[in-house]
Amino acid sequence: MLLFIAEFDGEAEKVCPRGALRRTLQKADAMGFDVFAALEYEFFMFNETPHSAREKGFRNLETITPDWFGYSMIRNSVHSGLYQDILQMSEQMDFPN
């Protein structure tokens, strides 16, 4: 599966998220504000072991939920215990929030 991250220019730049961020940062700077940012952790969870992933040549791995989409309310609900464990561990490791 391919994933492209892109920026738009010209007329499309008006609706480009990076363009909106750029304009917002310029406006904040003009108003005398200092802007701070943080990382967003993104990942896929697989229903695999290190052994099974290696056996498959790291191809056609089974995700914990169907499909390869990034945002899902169902996935977060079905696996809420796992996500709560990850959030709790992140807090214990003092990840910034």
Side-chain angles (χ1 to χ4, degrees), residues 18 24 26 39 48-49 53 57 64 71 81-82 91-92 95-96:
R18 288 183 170 82
T24 303
Q26 290 169 348
L39 296 173
E48 302 284 349
T49 65
I64 64 170
Y71 301 99
L82 172 61
E91 289 176 3
Q92 290 170 350
F95 284 14

Side-chain angles (χ1 to χ4, degrees), residues 19-32 35:
L21 175 61
R22 187 174 22 263
R23 289 187 305 277
T24 303
L25 292 174
Q26 290 169 348
K27 185 176 182 179
D29 185 57
M31 296 171 71
V35 178

Side-chain angles (χ1 to χ4, degrees), residues 1-2 4 9 11 13-14 16 18 23 26 28 30-31 41 45 47 50 55 69 71 77-78 80 86-88 90 97:
M1 178 173 75
L2 297 175
F4 295 96
D9 65 0
E11 224 16 63
E13 199 264 347
K14 292 178 184 176
C16 176
R18 288 183 170 82
R23 289 187 305 277
Q26 290 169 348
M31 296 171 71
Y41 300 100
M45 300 288 290
N47 191 25
E55 287 283 319
F69 48 87
Y71 301 99
S77 300
V78 171
S80 63
I86 292 171
L87 290 171
Q88 184 179 17
S90 299
N97 53 7

Side-chain angles (χ1 to χ4, degrees), residues 31-47:
M31 296 171 71
F33 290 102
D34 292 324
V35 178
F36 296 89
L39 296 173
E40 178 183 7
Y41 300 100
E42 293 189 19
F43 55 91
F44 283 100
M45 300 288 290
F46 295 96
N47 191 25

